[in-house]
Amino acid sequence: MLQQSWTLLGSRYVAEYRVLRVREDRYRFEPSGVEADFVVCDSADWALVVPLTPDDQVVFVRQFRHGVRAVVLEIPGGLIDAGETPEAAAVRELREETGYTAERVHLAGGLIPNPALNNATCHVVLAEGCRPGGNTAFDPLERIDIELRPLQAVPEMIRRGELRHAQAVACFALLEARGLIALDRRAPPA
Amino acid sequence: MLQQSWTLLGSRYVAEYRVLRVREDRYRFEPSGVEADFVVCDSADWALVVPLTPDDQVVFVRQFRHGVRAVVLEIPGGLIDAGETPEAAAVRELREETGYTAERVHLAGGLIPNPALNNATCHVVLAEGCRPGGNTAFDPLERIDIELRPLQAVPEMIRRGELRHAQAVACFALLEARGLIALDRRAPPA
């Protein structure tokens, strides 16, 4: 079996940042006996939330992302605090980042964003009946713009490359596969 | 504008691994004047390929992933070599990992897997007319199993949590949004 091909020999943290620790895991690959180190970005799980207003608008956010050094269109979300449920983290991040509050939230499932490199699971939450009125609470180093777009525009946003955030794209796909949202799949106008 | 909120002050590499370098970027956040370091996993772009056989089976792969310490179901892919196109990388990785060769490949677009932390773009390639017969070429530390599944089973695989790899899920969503594949969206049996 694939799982038994690898024996974990040891593990050590080599760097620590606000949001993650860099870990080196040493393995022996049993088929050849070769030993090697693998780098892992070790973080808490996070939650991403697809927030829908009563008239089926999605509350997107835009923020500068330091990995790609550019402003990125995505959906609200963030690391889950110790002892917090994914749903509670989604509600909290939604309010902190956008000021919106939700009538109902539903945990749709978990995705693994980068299993080769990252240990984390991304928990996908649908928030319905979202309305403005809460108080945003940006981190000291956060600045976020809100952008409402119709849910039915999402396939076209993906098609045009306007929505390129892989985890956000996968969240919509998971909600659709779970039957929690329905996306119009007619071909776009030529 | 959000982009102008951040001034890059400096950048240094703090660790180097086979597949990535860990970088610290120092920024000044202009609204407050606060300076802070952000960690970035700096790697080459990669390609992921959705390989379809002539009878619309998807060539999935299973391999042990050190980030999540588990065997993961995903689609073939890997880092793009210097000077290589995404399509060429997709064809090469498909052959190396599965032994399959493709009649036609089509670059569908790019996704950003983790823009907060990673600089890389994931290029999404559709490979059609895939057939076995090439020679696999595993890395010395690679062991990969192949699994053929009908394309029309993909929504159900996502729904059941069998396909949890966010980038793979997003690849199917992008191909569908681009009209390059059509997925049956009838509700699954109760």
Side-chain angles (χ1 to χ4, degrees), chain B residues 114-151:
Chain B
N114 197 349
L117 190 62
N118 201 303
N119 67 326
T121 293
C122 166
H123 299 273
V124 182
V125 175
L126 174 65
E128 295 178 297
C130 293
R131 291 185 168 83
N135 294 317
T136 56
F138 293 158
D139 289 338
L141 294 172
E142 218 171 36
R143 182 176 157 187
I144 293 173
D145 285 352
I146 297 173
E147 189 164 325
L148 292 188
R149 303 289 291 274
L151 176 61

PDB file of all heavy atoms in Angstrom, chain B residues 114-151:
ATOM      1  N   ASN B 114      -2.968  29.493  -3.520  1.00  0.00           N
ATOM      2  CA  ASN B 114      -2.914  30.032  -2.161  1.00  0.00           C
ATOM      3  C   ASN B 114      -2.226  31.391  -2.202  1.00  0.00           C
ATOM      4  O   ASN B 114      -1.076  31.525  -1.798  1.00  0.00           O
ATOM      5  CB  ASN B 114      -2.166  29.061  -1.250  1.00  0.00           C
ATOM      6  CG  ASN B 114      -2.431  29.356   0.215  1.00  0.00           C
ATOM      7  OD1 ASN B 114      -2.999  30.399   0.561  1.00  0.00           O
ATOM      8  ND2 ASN B 114      -2.027  28.466   1.086  1.00  0.00           N
ATOM      9  N   PRO B 115      -2.926  32.417  -2.702  1.00  0.00           N
ATOM     10  CA  PRO B 115      -2.276  33.702  -2.979  1.00  0.00           C
ATOM     11  C   PRO B 115      -1.764  34.426  -1.745  1.00  0.00           C
ATOM     12  O   PRO B 115      -0.915  35.304  -1.861  1.00  0.00           O
ATOM     13  CB  PRO B 115      -3.376  34.520  -3.661  1.00  0.00           C
ATOM     14  CG  PRO B 115      -4.655  33.874  -3.248  1.00  0.00           C
ATOM     15  CD  PRO B 115      -4.339  32.411  -3.081  1.00  0.00           C
ATOM     16  N   ALA B 116      -2.252  34.057  -0.561  1.00  0.00           N
ATOM     17  CA  ALA B 116      -1.749  34.681   0.658  1.00  0.00           C
ATOM     18  C   ALA B 116      -0.327  34.227   0.945  1.00  0.00           C
ATOM     19  O   ALA B 116       0.486  34.993   1.461  1.00  0.00           O
ATOM     20  CB  ALA B 116      -2.648  34.340   1.846  1.00  0.00           C
ATOM     21  N   LEU B 117      -0.020  33.001   0.597  1.00  0.00           N
ATOM     22  CA  LEU B 117       1.219  32.380   1.063  1.00  0.00           C
ATOM     23  C   LEU B 117       2.151  31.957  -0.064  1.00  0.00           C
ATOM     24  O   LEU B 117       3.354  31.825   0.143  1.00  0.00           O
ATOM     25  CB  LEU B 117       0.843  31.131   1.883  1.00  0.00           C
ATOM     26  CG  LEU B 117       1.923  30.445   2.666  1.00  0.00           C
ATOM     27  CD1 LEU B 117       2.484  31.371   3.724  1.00  0.00           C
ATOM     28  CD2 LEU B 117       1.397  29.163   3.312  1.00  0.00           C
ATOM     29  N   ASN B 118       1.602  31.724  -1.243  1.00  0.00           N
ATOM     30  CA  ASN B 118       2.386  31.112  -2.318  1.00  0.00           C
ATOM     31  C   ASN B 118       2.341  32.019  -3.537  1.00  0.00           C
ATOM     32  O   ASN B 118       1.290  32.550  -3.874  1.00  0.00           O
ATOM     33  CB  ASN B 118       1.785  29.732  -2.633  1.00  0.00           C
ATOM     34  CG  ASN B 118       2.775  28.831  -3.331  1.00  0.00           C
ATOM     35  OD1 ASN B 118       3.297  29.196  -4.386  1.00  0.00           O
ATOM     36  ND2 ASN B 118       3.041  27.687  -2.758  1.00  0.00           N
ATOM     37  N   ASN B 119       3.471  32.145  -4.221  1.00  0.00           N
ATOM     38  CA  ASN B 119       3.508  33.022  -5.395  1.00  0.00           C
ATOM     39  C   ASN B 119       3.021  32.332  -6.665  1.00  0.00           C
ATOM     40  O   ASN B 119       2.832  32.987  -7.691  1.00  0.00           O
ATOM     41  CB  ASN B 119       4.946  33.501  -5.629  1.00  0.00           C
ATOM     42  CG  ASN B 119       5.878  32.362  -6.030  1.00  0.00           C
ATOM     43  OD1 ASN B 119       5.702  31.231  -5.575  1.00  0.00           O
ATOM     44  ND2 ASN B 119       6.853  32.647  -6.871  1.00  0.00           N
ATOM     45  N   ALA B 120       2.826  31.009  -6.617  1.00  0.00           N
ATOM     46  CA  ALA B 120       2.700  30.232  -7.850  1.00  0.00           C
ATOM     47  C   ALA B 120       1.310  30.306  -8.466  1.00  0.00           C
ATOM     48  O   ALA B 120       0.304  30.485  -7.783  1.00  0.00           O
ATOM     49  CB  ALA B 120       3.038  28.773  -7.580  1.00  0.00           C
ATOM     50  N   THR B 121       1.292  30.160  -9.788  1.00  0.00           N
ATOM     51  CA  THR B 121       0.078  29.933 -10.550  1.00  0.00           C
ATOM     52  C   THR B 121      -0.002  28.459 -10.911  1.00  0.00           C
ATOM     53  O   THR B 121       1.010  27.840 -11.246  1.00  0.00           O
ATOM     54  CB  THR B 121       0.082  30.778 -11.841  1.00  0.00           C
ATOM     55  OG1 THR B 121      -0.003  32.157 -11.491  1.00  0.00           O
ATOM     56  CG2 THR B 121      -1.099  30.433 -12.741  1.00  0.00           C
ATOM     57  N   CYS B 122      -1.202  27.903 -10.818  1.00  0.00           N
ATOM     58  CA  CYS B 122      -1.469  26.533 -11.254  1.00  0.00           C
ATOM     59  C   CYS B 122      -2.144  26.608 -12.626  1.00  0.00           C
ATOM     60  O   CYS B 122      -3.262  27.114 -12.738  1.00  0.00           O
ATOM     61  CB  CYS B 122      -2.382  25.854 -10.231  1.00  0.00           C
ATOM     62  SG  CYS B 122      -3.110  24.315 -10.812  1.00  0.00           S
ATOM     63  N   HIS B 123      -1.454  26.131 -13.644  1.00  0.00           N
ATOM     64  CA  HIS B 123      -1.987  26.163 -15.007  1.00  0.00           C
ATOM     65  C   HIS B 123      -2.798  24.892 -15.248  1.00  0.00           C
ATOM     66  O   HIS B 123      -2.338  23.785 -14.937  1.00  0.00           O
ATOM     67  CB  HIS B 123      -0.848  26.281 -16.010  1.00  0.00           C
ATOM     68  CG  HIS B 123      -0.042  27.536 -15.830  1.00  0.00           C
ATOM     69  ND1 HIS B 123      -0.377  28.726 -16.425  1.00  0.00           N
ATOM     70  CD2 HIS B 123       1.056  27.788 -15.087  1.00  0.00           C
ATOM     71  CE1 HIS B 123       0.488  29.661 -16.073  1.00  0.00           C
ATOM     72  NE2 HIS B 123       1.379  29.109 -15.263  1.00  0.00           N
ATOM     73  N   VAL B 124      -3.991  25.071 -15.788  1.00  0.00           N
ATOM     74  CA  VAL B 124      -4.949  23.975 -15.914  1.00  0.00           C
ATOM     75  C   VAL B 124      -5.013  23.521 -17.368  1.00  0.00           C
ATOM     76  O   VAL B 124      -5.319  24.313 -18.255  1.00  0.00           O
ATOM     77  CB  VAL B 124      -6.348  24.417 -15.440  1.00  0.00           C
ATOM     78  CG1 VAL B 124      -7.336  23.258 -15.538  1.00  0.00           C
ATOM     79  CG2 VAL B 124      -6.270  24.969 -14.021  1.00  0.00           C
ATOM     80  N   VAL B 125      -4.710  22.247 -17.584  1.00  0.00           N
ATOM     81  CA  VAL B 125      -4.618  21.706 -18.939  1.00  0.00           C
ATOM     82  C   VAL B 125      -5.599  20.543 -19.077  1.00  0.00           C
ATOM     83  O   VAL B 125      -5.648  19.646 -18.228  1.00  0.00           O
ATOM     84  CB  VAL B 125      -3.174  21.237 -19.234  1.00  0.00           C
ATOM     85  CG1 VAL B 125      -3.084  20.556 -20.604  1.00  0.00           C
ATOM     86  CG2 VAL B 125      -2.209  22.422 -19.156  1.00  0.00           C
ATOM     87  N   LEU B 126      -6.374  20.582 -20.145  1.00  0.00           N
ATOM     88  CA  LEU B 126      -7.228  19.450 -20.508  1.00  0.00           C
ATOM     89  C   LEU B 126      -6.479  18.590 -21.530  1.00  0.00           C
ATOM     90  O   LEU B 126      -5.969  19.121 -22.527  1.00  0.00           O
ATOM     91  CB  LEU B 126      -8.542  19.947 -21.112  1.00  0.00           C
ATOM     92  CG  LEU B 126      -9.480  18.868 -21.660  1.00  0.00           C
ATOM     93  CD1 LEU B 126      -9.997  17.958 -20.557  1.00  0.00           C
ATOM     94  CD2 LEU B 126     -10.647  19.512 -22.424  1.00  0.00           C
ATOM     95  N   ALA B 127      -6.386  17.292 -21.258  1.00  0.00           N
ATOM     96  CA  ALA B 127      -5.730  16.363 -22.201  1.00  0.00           C
ATOM     97  C   ALA B 127      -6.782  15.365 -22.680  1.00  0.00           C
ATOM     98  O   ALA B 127      -7.383  14.654 -21.865  1.00  0.00           O
ATOM     99  CB  ALA B 127      -4.566  15.642 -21.520  1.00  0.00           C
ATOM    100  N   GLU B 128      -6.994  15.312 -23.977  1.00  0.00           N
ATOM    101  CA  GLU B 128      -8.031  14.438 -24.529  1.00  0.00           C
ATOM    102  C   GLU B 128      -7.400  13.307 -25.334  1.00  0.00           C
ATOM    103  O   GLU B 128      -6.267  13.414 -25.804  1.00  0.00           O
ATOM    104  CB  GLU B 128      -8.970  15.252 -25.408  1.00  0.00           C
ATOM    105  CG  GLU B 128      -9.746  16.303 -24.607  1.00  0.00           C
ATOM    106  CD  GLU B 128     -10.648  17.148 -25.488  1.00  0.00           C
ATOM    107  OE1 GLU B 128     -10.121  17.861 -26.367  1.00  0.00           O
ATOM    108  OE2 GLU B 128     -11.873  17.091 -25.296  1.00  0.00           O
ATOM    109  N   GLY B 129      -8.178  12.255 -25.496  1.00  0.00           N
ATOM    110  CA  GLY B 129      -7.681  11.105 -26.256  1.00  0.00           C
ATOM    111  C   GLY B 129      -6.510  10.428 -25.563  1.00  0.00           C
ATOM    112  O   GLY B 129      -5.565   9.980 -26.215  1.00  0.00           O
ATOM    113  N   CYS B 130      -6.571  10.329 -24.248  1.00  0.00           N
ATOM    114  CA  CYS B 130      -5.438   9.759 -23.495  1.00  0.00           C
ATOM    115  C   CYS B 130      -5.484   8.228 -23.545  1.00  0.00           C
ATOM    116  O   CYS B 130      -6.529   7.607 -23.355  1.00  0.00           O
ATOM    117  CB  CYS B 130      -5.490  10.232 -22.046  1.00  0.00           C
ATOM    118  SG  CYS B 130      -5.192  12.005 -21.891  1.00  0.00           S
ATOM    119  N   ARG B 131      -4.308   7.654 -23.780  1.00  0.00           N
ATOM    120  CA  ARG B 131      -4.182   6.196 -23.859  1.00  0.00           C
ATOM    121  C   ARG B 131      -2.918   5.756 -23.131  1.00  0.00           C
ATOM    122  O   ARG B 131      -1.910   6.465 -23.150  1.00  0.00           O
ATOM    123  CB  ARG B 131      -4.082   5.754 -25.322  1.00  0.00           C
ATOM    124  CG  ARG B 131      -5.354   5.931 -26.110  1.00  0.00           C
ATOM    125  CD  ARG B 131      -5.216   5.354 -27.513  1.00  0.00           C
ATOM    126  NE  ARG B 131      -6.514   5.271 -28.171  1.00  0.00           N
ATOM    127  CZ  ARG B 131      -7.105   6.275 -28.801  1.00  0.00           C
ATOM    128  NH1 ARG B 131      -6.505   7.452 -28.868  1.00  0.00           N
ATOM    129  NH2 ARG B 131      -8.299   6.128 -29.364  1.00  0.00           N
ATOM    130  N   PRO B 132      -2.962   4.567 -22.524  1.00  0.00           N
ATOM    131  CA  PRO B 132      -1.748   4.050 -21.891  1.00  0.00           C
ATOM    132  C   PRO B 132      -0.736   3.635 -22.955  1.00  0.00           C
ATOM    133  O   PRO B 132      -1.058   3.559 -24.133  1.00  0.00           O
ATOM    134  CB  PRO B 132      -2.247   2.844 -21.097  1.00  0.00           C
ATOM    135  CG  PRO B 132      -3.495   2.411 -21.795  1.00  0.00           C
ATOM    136  CD  PRO B 132      -4.099   3.635 -22.421  1.00  0.00           C
ATOM    137  N   GLY B 133       0.472   3.353 -22.528  1.00  0.00           N
ATOM    138  CA  GLY B 133       1.463   2.854 -23.476  1.00  0.00           C
ATOM    139  C   GLY B 133       2.795   3.559 -23.402  1.00  0.00           C
ATOM    140  O   GLY B 133       3.803   3.033 -23.868  1.00  0.00           O
ATOM    141  N   GLY B 134       2.826   4.757 -22.807  1.00  0.00           N
ATOM    142  CA  GLY B 134       4.113   5.418 -22.611  1.00  0.00           C
ATOM    143  C   GLY B 134       4.830   4.805 -21.419  1.00  0.00           C
ATOM    144  O   GLY B 134       4.305   3.930 -20.728  1.00  0.00           O
ATOM    145  N   ASN B 135       6.037   5.252 -21.206  1.00  0.00           N
ATOM    146  CA  ASN B 135       6.813   4.738 -20.085  1.00  0.00           C
ATOM    147  C   ASN B 135       6.705   5.693 -18.900  1.00  0.00           C
ATOM    148  O   ASN B 135       7.033   6.868 -19.029  1.00  0.00           O
ATOM    149  CB  ASN B 135       8.285   4.589 -20.473  1.00  0.00           C
ATOM    150  CG  ASN B 135       8.473   3.523 -21.530  1.00  0.00           C
ATOM    151  OD1 ASN B 135       7.878   2.453 -21.451  1.00  0.00           O
ATOM    152  ND2 ASN B 135       9.282   3.826 -22.535  1.00  0.00           N
ATOM    153  N   THR B 136       6.270   5.164 -17.768  1.00  0.00           N
ATOM    154  CA  THR B 136       6.298   5.991 -16.569  1.00  0.00           C
ATOM    155  C   THR B 136       7.748   6.258 -16.187  1.00  0.00           C
ATOM    156  O   THR B 136       8.665   5.526 -16.559  1.00  0.00           O
ATOM    157  CB  THR B 136       5.589   5.302 -15.383  1.00  0.00           C
ATOM    158  OG1 THR B 136       6.183   4.037 -15.174  1.00  0.00           O
ATOM    159  CG2 THR B 136       4.104   5.129 -15.659  1.00  0.00           C
ATOM    160  N   ALA B 137       7.948   7.352 -15.463  1.00  0.00           N
ATOM    161  CA  ALA B 137       9.289   7.704 -14.977  1.00  0.00           C
ATOM    162  C   ALA B 137       9.117   8.363 -13.624  1.00  0.00           C
ATOM    163  O   ALA B 137       9.080   9.587 -13.519  1.00  0.00           O
ATOM    164  CB  ALA B 137       9.986   8.644 -15.975  1.00  0.00           C
ATOM    165  N   PHE B 138       8.956   7.542 -12.603  1.00  0.00           N
ATOM    166  CA  PHE B 138       8.768   8.084 -11.261  1.00  0.00           C
ATOM    167  C   PHE B 138      10.055   8.734 -10.779  1.00  0.00           C
ATOM    168  O   PHE B 138      11.153   8.271 -11.086  1.00  0.00           O
ATOM    169  CB  PHE B 138       8.393   6.974 -10.266  1.00  0.00           C
ATOM    170  CG  PHE B 138       7.039   6.365 -10.528  1.00  0.00           C
ATOM    171  CD1 PHE B 138       6.737   5.104 -10.052  1.00  0.00           C
ATOM    172  CD2 PHE B 138       6.067   7.048 -11.247  1.00  0.00           C
ATOM    173  CE1 PHE B 138       5.495   4.534 -10.269  1.00  0.00           C
ATOM    174  CE2 PHE B 138       4.819   6.482 -11.481  1.00  0.00           C
ATOM    175  CZ  PHE B 138       4.537   5.214 -10.991  1.00  0.00           C
ATOM    176  N   ASP B 139       9.884   9.810 -10.007  1.00  0.00           N
ATOM    177  CA  ASP B 139      11.013  10.322  -9.259  1.00  0.00           C
ATOM    178  C   ASP B 139      11.478   9.230  -8.297  1.00  0.00           C
ATOM    179  O   ASP B 139      10.699   8.342  -7.941  1.00  0.00           O
ATOM    180  CB  ASP B 139      10.598  11.564  -8.453  1.00  0.00           C
ATOM    181  CG  ASP B 139      10.357  12.766  -9.363  1.00  0.00           C
ATOM    182  OD1 ASP B 139      10.884  12.781 -10.478  1.00  0.00           O
ATOM    183  OD2 ASP B 139       9.644  13.685  -8.931  1.00  0.00           O
ATOM    184  N   PRO B 140      12.757   9.316  -7.839  1.00  0.00           N
ATOM    185  CA  PRO B 140      13.254   8.284  -6.918  1.00  0.00           C
ATOM    186  C   PRO B 140      12.403   8.177  -5.650  1.00  0.00           C
ATOM    187  O   PRO B 140      12.383   7.125  -5.013  1.00  0.00           O
ATOM    188  CB  PRO B 140      14.668   8.772  -6.586  1.00  0.00           C
ATOM    189  CG  PRO B 140      15.056   9.644  -7.722  1.00  0.00           C
ATOM    190  CD  PRO B 140      13.797  10.276  -8.228  1.00  0.00           C
ATOM    191  N   LEU B 141      11.696   9.258  -5.296  1.00  0.00           N
ATOM    192  CA  LEU B 141      10.894   9.246  -4.072  1.00  0.00           C
ATOM    193  C   LEU B 141       9.401   9.294  -4.390  1.00  0.00           C
ATOM    194  O   LEU B 141       8.604   9.789  -3.611  1.00  0.00           O
ATOM    195  CB  LEU B 141      11.277  10.423  -3.174  1.00  0.00           C
ATOM    196  CG  LEU B 141      12.699  10.369  -2.611  1.00  0.00           C
ATOM    197  CD1 LEU B 141      13.048  11.655  -1.892  1.00  0.00           C
ATOM    198  CD2 LEU B 141      12.852   9.180  -1.665  1.00  0.00           C
ATOM    199  N   GLU B 142       9.030   8.776  -5.534  1.00  0.00           N
ATOM    200  CA  GLU B 142       7.642   8.836  -5.956  1.00  0.00           C
ATOM    201  C   GLU B 142       7.099   7.432  -6.145  1.00  0.00           C
ATOM    202  O   GLU B 142       7.784   6.555  -6.683  1.00  0.00           O
ATOM    203  CB  GLU B 142       7.571   9.582  -7.312  1.00  0.00           C
ATOM    204  CG  GLU B 142       6.396  10.492  -7.490  1.00  0.00           C
ATOM    205  CD  GLU B 142       6.519  11.338  -8.759  1.00  0.00           C
ATOM    206  OE1 GLU B 142       7.041  10.854  -9.779  1.00  0.00           O
ATOM    207  OE2 GLU B 142       6.070  12.490  -8.718  1.00  0.00           O
ATOM    208  N   ARG B 143       5.869   7.229  -5.690  1.00  0.00           N
ATOM    209  CA  ARG B 143       5.170   6.008  -6.033  1.00  0.00           C
ATOM    210  C   ARG B 143       3.710   6.364  -6.238  1.00  0.00           C
ATOM    211  O   ARG B 143       3.091   6.960  -5.351  1.00  0.00           O
ATOM    212  CB  ARG B 143       5.324   4.960  -4.922  1.00  0.00           C
ATOM    213  CG  ARG B 143       4.651   3.676  -5.304  1.00  0.00           C
ATOM    214  CD  ARG B 143       4.850   2.572  -4.295  1.00  0.00           C
ATOM    215  NE  ARG B 143       3.784   1.605  -4.433  1.00  0.00           N
ATOM    216  CZ  ARG B 143       3.596   0.581  -3.617  1.00  0.00           C
ATOM    217  NH1 ARG B 143       4.418   0.379  -2.605  1.00  0.00           N
ATOM    218  NH2 ARG B 143       2.607  -0.245  -3.807  1.00  0.00           N
ATOM    219  N   ILE B 144       3.199   6.049  -7.378  1.00  0.00           N
ATOM    220  CA  ILE B 144       1.891   6.555  -7.797  1.00  0.00           C
ATOM    221  C   ILE B 144       1.035   5.410  -8.310  1.00  0.00           C
ATOM    222  O   ILE B 144       1.496   4.581  -9.093  1.00  0.00           O
ATOM    223  CB  ILE B 144       2.078   7.637  -8.894  1.00  0.00           C
ATOM    224  CG1 ILE B 144       2.774   8.864  -8.294  1.00  0.00           C
ATOM    225  CG2 ILE B 144       0.753   8.010  -9.537  1.00  0.00           C
ATOM    226  CD1 ILE B 144       3.157   9.916  -9.299  1.00  0.00           C
ATOM    227  N   ASP B 145      -0.210   5.352  -7.854  1.00  0.00           N
ATOM    228  CA  ASP B 145      -1.192   4.416  -8.391  1.00  0.00           C
ATOM    229  C   ASP B 145      -2.158   5.180  -9.302  1.00  0.00           C
ATOM    230  O   ASP B 145      -2.474   6.350  -9.044  1.00  0.00           O
ATOM    231  CB  ASP B 145      -1.985   3.760  -7.257  1.00  0.00           C
ATOM    232  CG  ASP B 145      -1.177   2.699  -6.521  1.00  0.00           C
ATOM    233  OD1 ASP B 145      -0.074   2.377  -6.982  1.00  0.00           O
ATOM    234  OD2 ASP B 145      -1.662   2.212  -5.486  1.00  0.00           O
ATOM    235  N   ILE B 146      -2.618   4.516 -10.336  1.00  0.00           N
ATOM    236  CA  ILE B 146      -3.570   5.102 -11.285  1.00  0.00           C
ATOM    237  C   ILE B 146      -4.971   4.610 -10.950  1.00  0.00           C
ATOM    238  O   ILE B 146      -5.149   3.469 -10.541  1.00  0.00           O
ATOM    239  CB  ILE B 146      -3.213   4.682 -12.727  1.00  0.00           C
ATOM    240  CG1 ILE B 146      -1.844   5.223 -13.100  1.00  0.00           C
ATOM    241  CG2 ILE B 146      -4.263   5.167 -13.713  1.00  0.00           C
ATOM    242  CD1 ILE B 146      -1.358   4.697 -14.439  1.00  0.00           C
ATOM    243  N   GLU B 147      -5.954   5.473 -11.165  1.00  0.00           N
ATOM    244  CA  GLU B 147      -7.345   5.076 -10.943  1.00  0.00           C
ATOM    245  C   GLU B 147      -8.228   5.745 -11.991  1.00  0.00           C
ATOM    246  O   GLU B 147      -8.318   6.968 -12.041  1.00  0.00           O
ATOM    247  CB  GLU B 147      -7.768   5.486  -9.530  1.00  0.00           C
ATOM    248  CG  GLU B 147      -9.101   4.932  -9.133  1.00  0.00           C
ATOM    249  CD  GLU B 147      -9.312   5.026  -7.614  1.00  0.00           C
ATOM    250  OE1 GLU B 147      -8.328   4.870  -6.848  1.00  0.00           O
ATOM    251  OE2 GLU B 147     -10.451   5.282  -7.221  1.00  0.00           O
ATOM    252  N   LEU B 148      -8.854   4.944 -12.837  1.00  0.00           N
ATOM    253  CA  LEU B 148      -9.756   5.487 -13.859  1.00  0.00           C
ATOM    254  C   LEU B 148     -11.158   5.600 -13.292  1.00  0.00           C
ATOM    255  O   LEU B 148     -11.676   4.647 -12.706  1.00  0.00           O
ATOM    256  CB  LEU B 148      -9.787   4.571 -15.089  1.00  0.00           C
ATOM    257  CG  LEU B 148      -8.526   4.467 -15.931  1.00  0.00           C
ATOM    258  CD1 LEU B 148      -8.813   3.667 -17.203  1.00  0.00           C
ATOM    259  CD2 LEU B 148      -7.998   5.837 -16.306  1.00  0.00           C
ATOM    260  N   ARG B 149     -11.768   6.770 -13.488  1.00  0.00           N
ATOM    261  CA  ARG B 149     -13.149   6.986 -13.034  1.00  0.00           C
ATOM    262  C   ARG B 149     -13.896   7.767 -14.108  1.00  0.00           C
ATOM    263  O   ARG B 149     -13.313   8.659 -14.737  1.00  0.00           O
ATOM    264  CB  ARG B 149     -13.160   7.784 -11.722  1.00  0.00           C
ATOM    265  CG  ARG B 149     -12.364   7.143 -10.589  1.00  0.00           C
ATOM    266  CD  ARG B 149     -13.045   5.890 -10.063  1.00  0.00           C
ATOM    267  NE  ARG B 149     -14.257   6.219  -9.368  1.00  0.00           N
ATOM    268  CZ  ARG B 149     -14.320   6.557  -8.067  1.00  0.00           C
ATOM    269  NH1 ARG B 149     -13.235   6.571  -7.330  1.00  0.00           N
ATOM    270  NH2 ARG B 149     -15.470   6.850  -7.509  1.00  0.00           N
ATOM    271  N   PRO B 150     -15.187   7.482 -14.288  1.00  0.00           N
ATOM    272  CA  PRO B 150     -15.926   8.211 -15.316  1.00  0.00           C
ATOM    273  C   PRO B 150     -15.982   9.708 -15.006  1.00  0.00           C
ATOM    274  O   PRO B 150     -16.174  10.098 -13.855  1.00  0.00           O
ATOM    275  CB  PRO B 150     -17.338   7.610 -15.244  1.00  0.00           C
ATOM    276  CG  PRO B 150     -17.193   6.322 -14.501  1.00  0.00           C
ATOM    277  CD  PRO B 150     -16.021   6.489 -13.588  1.00  0.00           C
ATOM    278  N   LEU B 151     -15.823  10.517 -16.037  1.00  0.00           N
ATOM    279  CA  LEU B 151     -15.942  11.968 -15.852  1.00  0.00           C
ATOM    280  C   LEU B 151     -17.259  12.320 -15.165  1.00  0.00           C
ATOM    281  O   LEU B 151     -17.306  13.215 -14.315  1.00  0.00           O
ATOM    282  CB  LEU B 151     -15.846  12.664 -17.217  1.00  0.00           C
ATOM    283  CG  LEU B 151     -16.044  14.175 -17.225  1.00  0.00           C
ATOM    284  CD1 LEU B 151     -14.988  14.880 -16.386  1.00  0.00           C
ATOM    285  CD2 LEU B 151     -16.033  14.716 -18.661  1.00  0.00           C
TER     286      LEU B 151
END
